[in-house]
Amino acid sequence: MQQAARSVIPATLIPGDGIGPEIIDATVTVLDAAGAPFEWDVQQAGMASLRAHGDPLPQPTLESIRRTRLALKGPLATPSGGGYRSSNVRLREEFHLYANVRPARTLIPGGRYENIDLVLVRENTEGLYVGYEHYIPIGDDPHAVAIGSGVNTRAGCIRIAEFAFDYAVRNKRRKVTIVHKANIMKALTGIFLETARQIGERYRDRLEIDERIVDACAMQLVLDPWQFDVIVTTNLFGDILSDEIAGLVGGLGMAPGANIGTDAAIFEAVHGSAPDIAGKDVANPLALILAAAMMLDHVGRGDLAQRVRQGIDETLHVDKVRTGDLGGKASTRKFAQALARRVS
Ligand code: NAI
């Protein structure tokens, strides 16, 4: 009893919008069946919260994450108009979620590529996405010249490089590729390359480390993705390459993502709230369940994460239970129940 009490891990659970509550229910069903140690503090965010609190990301939700430092989150719709900033961006800023981790693994064979197993680690707070942009008017053209500046700091580069190399070691990966454009953006991505190389020296005994220029990397991902294992890169390149990598395994539909920061870690599906299928019990909960498996890895329960991943493979390929988007007939609930039987 005492043992069980000690192993409980408080975590914030945000059902979110659209299909969010359905896929969160499915995920919690699977986690409960696997014996996951989370003690949920359910909090609102998104449209429901906007209606209830006048804010899509209200204080009680932020306070809960501040306390638990760990969250599993359904997709949040960004209300159009009304001047609301994306809740996802606000979370990233509030909790300094500097590392975005996007694994891509072949789940359904028969696509363009077989046996893909890659992880992209993207710096999430610096680079060309800091938003230092402006126009210079000339004559009657207010937008005659557009200027944008990127910011990469030594501290930020050290932080993301250490995160990527530690992640690779912890997850028993074999290789890390540093992706940059230091041949052209000599300072902005030069500092990233230089720093990642220096940090990498400390890991040479445990990992193979190589480098690619981002354009070459994009091409090689299409020609021979198996040469890569973990990729670490700056914000803009990471944004683009993570979608490319998701494309290697059939698109964003089953892609999980983790946002890891100094103050919290937030796990989610990469897809949105899918309002077109909300409330119909047809959504595929796999991306969120895979995000929950990453959360288990994060809290040191790799054993349970592995059980969930293996259960997914068995449910899809042995039991042949799949949701409609994967050519099956199972509802969200039926899929979750089938997977829960496999992991319990
Ligand atoms: P979306 O990803 O919600 O939907 C795109 C298409 O994929 C739709 O046809 C949808 O039915 C389908 N789809 C998505 N997830 C699915 C699932 N689990 N199972 C089966 N089919 C699925 O993208 P969309 O329509 O552009 O965005 C809708 C809302 O979601 C917007 O308000 C957007 O701001 C928000 N969003 C939130 C994100 C987050 O919270 N991380 C990420 C992306 C979008």
Side-chain angles (χ1 to χ4, degrees):
M1 191 65 198
Q2 234 178 359
Q3 179 81 22
R6 259 208 310 273
S7 64
V8 159
I9 300 173
T12 304
L13 187 69
I14 302 171
D17 293 314
I19 59 171
E22 298 161 68
I23 59 176
I24 282 276
D25 270 357
T27 303
V28 171
T29 300
V30 173
L31 287 172
D32 285 348
F38 302 119
E39 183 184 64
W40 300 113
D41 179 18
V42 180
Q43 293 290 339
Q44 283 186 342
M47 299 307 279
S49 160
L50 179 62
R51 282 189 290 271
H53 303 273
D55 185 347
L57 194 59
Q59 278 308 316
T61 303
L62 293 173
E63 276 156 25
S64 172
I65 302 173
R66 228 168 266 138
R67 183 174 60 78
T68 63
R69 301 164 60 93
L70 189 65
L72 181 66
K73 161 180 133 6
L76 304 179
T78 302
S80 46
Y84 289 103
R85 291 177 62 229
S86 152
S87 301
N88 294 315
V89 174
R90 281 175 64 195
L91 284 170
R92 200 179 299 163
E93 289 171 359
E94 177 79 28
F95 296 104
H96 306 108
L97 304 173
Y98 65 87
N100 183 259
V101 186
R102 287 257 210 107
R105 185 169 70 95
T106 304
L107 282 178
I108 311 274
R112 283 201 184 88
Y113 298 91
E114 301 287 356
N115 300 320
I116 298 289
D117 184 6
L118 286 172
V119 181
L120 187 121
V121 177
R122 161 189 170 192
E123 203 293 323
N124 220 11
T125 55
E126 300 196 329
L128 279 164
Y129 281 9
V130 292
Y132 294 167
E133 291 192 293
H134 64 278
Y135 290 108
I136 297 178
I138 297 178
D140 57 2
D141 183 355
H143 291 173
V145 179
I147 297 184
S149 308
V151 175
N152 282 329
T153 63
R154 177 75 74 195
C157 294
I158 292 174
R159 194 166 65 171
I160 193 70
E162 283 179 341
F163 176 89
F165 291 123
D166 284 341
Y167 176 96
V169 170
R170 217 173 38 246
N171 290 281
K172 302 188 173 53
R173 312 292 306 207
R174 67 190 153 82
K175 175 173 164 184
V176 175
T177 304
I178 304 163
V179 174
H180 63 93
K181 188 73 185 175
N183 53 327
I184 304 292
M185 292 191 280
K186 291 183 198 299
L188 188 64
T189 85
I191 190 177
F192 172 78
L193 174 62
E194 174 189 298
T195 309
R197 270 182 188 158
Q198 282 165 1
I199 303 288
E201 284 310 313
R202 306 206 303 252
Y203 295 82
R204 286 232 174 252
D205 54 334
R206 286 160 288 170
L207 293 168
E208 190 187 330
I209 299 171
D210 69 354
E211 305 168 4
R212 287 285 189 295
I213 294 174
V214 62
D215 39 345
C217 178
M219 181 188 68
Q220 286 167 13
L221 275 167
V222 172
L223 291 178
D224 176 16
W226 302 278
Q227 69 185 289
F228 296 104
D229 189 20
V230 174
I231 293 174
V232 61
T233 191
T234 47
N235 205 341
L236 167 66
F237 301 155
D239 193 8
I240 297 167
L241 292 183
S242 58
D243 275 24
E244 183 182 359
I245 286 167
L248 299 175
V249 295
L252 295 178
M254 285 184 295
N259 297 287
I260 313 281
T262 39
D263 303 337
I266 301 181
F267 298 81
E268 63 182 346
V270 169
H271 62 69
S273 59
D276 50 331
I277 55 167
K280 295 184 178 158
D281 197 22
V282 298
N284 184 353
L286 265 178
L288 192 67
I289 295 171
L290 287 166
M294 295 177 79
M295 188 166 163
L296 286 166
D297 279 328
H298 180 78
V299 299
R301 292 306 307 266
D303 56 328
L304 296 182
Q306 188 47 32
R307 193 188 295 172
V308 169
R309 291 192 188 102
Q310 193 183 331
I312 289 172
D313 285 339
E314 290 165 352
T315 306
L316 292 173
H317 303 302
V318 180
D319 305 336
K320 301 208 183 307
V321 178
R322 299 180 184 186
T323 45
D325 57 315
L326 300 180
K329 291 198 175 69
S331 65
T332 310
R333 267 198 210 111
K334 284 273 181 293
F335 180 84
Q337 285 159 2
L339 177 53
R341 277 194 294 278
R342 279 286 179 183
V343 301
S344 58

